[in-house]
Amino acid sequence: MSRLILALDVYEREKALKIARETGDFLWGIKVNWPLILGSGIDIVGELKEETGLPIIADLKLADIPNTNRLIAGRVFEAGADYIIAHGFPGSDSVKAVMELGETIIVVEMSHPGAREFIQPVTDRLIELANELEPFGVIAPATRPERVRYIRKKLRRSIKILTPGVGAQGGKAKEVLKAGADYIIAGRVIYNSGNPRRAAENLWREINAGTEG
C-alpha cells in the first residue's frame, strides 16, 4: 500500500488528469488545492476520482465561521472529495461544521518558514483541538521532522499525520517517516519533473525503503 499523496497544484484540467493517470499506480491519494479548482472548476474533483479511483483530498484550508465552512464543505464533498483540510484556529465550532459533513484533516502546523511566526506558537493548542475532535488526520511539516516527532508524541495514535513539503521545499521522506508521519505529500518534485511517473515511482520506492528500514 502506498503512503504517497500527490499535491496536484496545476491549473489546467487536461494536464492534471494526465499527471494523475501517469502517477496513480504509486499514490495513496491526490490532494487538490485552490489553483486547480480555480483553473479547472470544482468538477475536477470528481473527474480525478473517477479517472484514478483514488481518494481525493480538497486542500481548502477552510478558516471561516461555521456556516460558511459548512456551505463550502458541503459543495466540495458533493463534488466527490473524500477529505477536506481545514484550519483549526477559527475554533472547534468551525471545524465541527466541516466534520459533520465528512472526513476532515486539521492543520496543526505548516511547512513554509513563515509558519514559525503565528502557527507554531499555538501548535500545542491545535493538537489539543485535534485530540478532542478526533479528525481523520492533521497536517504537519515535512520540512521540520523534529516538529513531526513532537506532534506525534502529543497526538492520539488513531489520528494520522500527513506531511507536505517533501521535495521542492526540502523535506526528506525517510526522515519524516522516522519522525512519525503516516503519509508523505509531494507536488512539484513530481509534476514539474520531465517524467512524473518515474518521479512518483522513485519517491514511492524511497518511502517503501524508509518503511522497511
Side-chain angles (χ1 to χ4, degrees):
M1 179 179 174
S2 179
R3 298 168 71 178
L4 176 60
I5 297 169
L6 171 63
L8 197 50
D9 297 333
V10 299
Y11 289 115
E12 305 88 351
R13 173 182 172 274
E14 289 303 325
K15 182 177 181 180
L17 292 170
K18 181 175 183 291
I19 294 170
R21 284 192 296 268
E22 291 174 353
T23 60
D25 290 341
F26 305 104
L27 305 178
W28 177 84
I30 296 173
K31 182 172 76 71
V32 301
N33 206 324
W34 286 110
L36 183 56
I37 291 174
L38 291 173
S40 301
I42 191 65
D43 289 342
I44 190 64
V45 173
E47 289 182 90
L48 284 168
K49 187 173 180 179
E50 183 176 353
E51 188 73 38
T52 65
L54 296 172
I56 305 298
I57 301 170
D59 185 6
L60 306 180
K61 293 187 179 68
L62 292 181
D64 218 311
I65 65 170
N67 186 61
T68 302
N69 271 6
R70 189 178 296 110
L71 289 171
I72 297 171
R75 179 67 186 91
V76 177
F77 279 127
E78 286 174 7
D82 298 283
Y83 306 88
I84 288 179
I85 296 177
H87 271 298
F89 64 76
S92 59
D93 55 349
S94 290
V95 178
K96 286 177 182 176
V98 182
M99 293 184 65
E100 288 168 1
L101 299 176
E103 294 282 8
T104 307
I105 298 164
I106 299 175
V107 178
V108 298
E109 200 165 312
M110 296 175 73
S111 57
H112 66 301
R116 294 187 178 96
E117 297 173 20
F118 297 107
I119 294 183
Q120 187 171 316
V122 297
T123 292
D124 282 356
R125 183 64 190 95
L126 294 172
I127 295 170
E128 290 175 9
L129 177 68
N131 284 337
E132 174 190 337
L133 299 181
E134 296 189 67
F136 170 79
V138 300
I139 295 292
T143 49
R144 292 187 287 280
E146 73 281 0
R147 297 299 297 169
V148 175
R149 187 173 293 107
Y150 178 85
I151 291 164
R152 179 74 278 171
K153 287 180 179 178
K154 290 180 171 286
L155 192 69
R156 288 179 184 268
R157 292 301 307 180
S158 59
I159 301 173
K160 305 296 184 184
I161 296 181
L162 299 83
T163 53
V166 167
Q169 292 188 61
K172 306 296 183 185
K174 286 184 179 180
E175 293 179 11
V176 183
L177 290 169
K178 288 179 181 177
D182 295 287
Y183 297 100
I184 299 297
I185 301 174
R188 283 169 283 177
V189 70
I190 295 175
Y191 65 74
N192 278 344
S193 71
N195 189 330
R197 179 176 178 83
R198 182 178 298 167
E201 181 179 6
N202 289 342
L203 193 47
W204 176 80
R205 291 185 185 281
E206 181 183 344
I207 291 169
N208 284 352
T211 304
E212 293 166 2

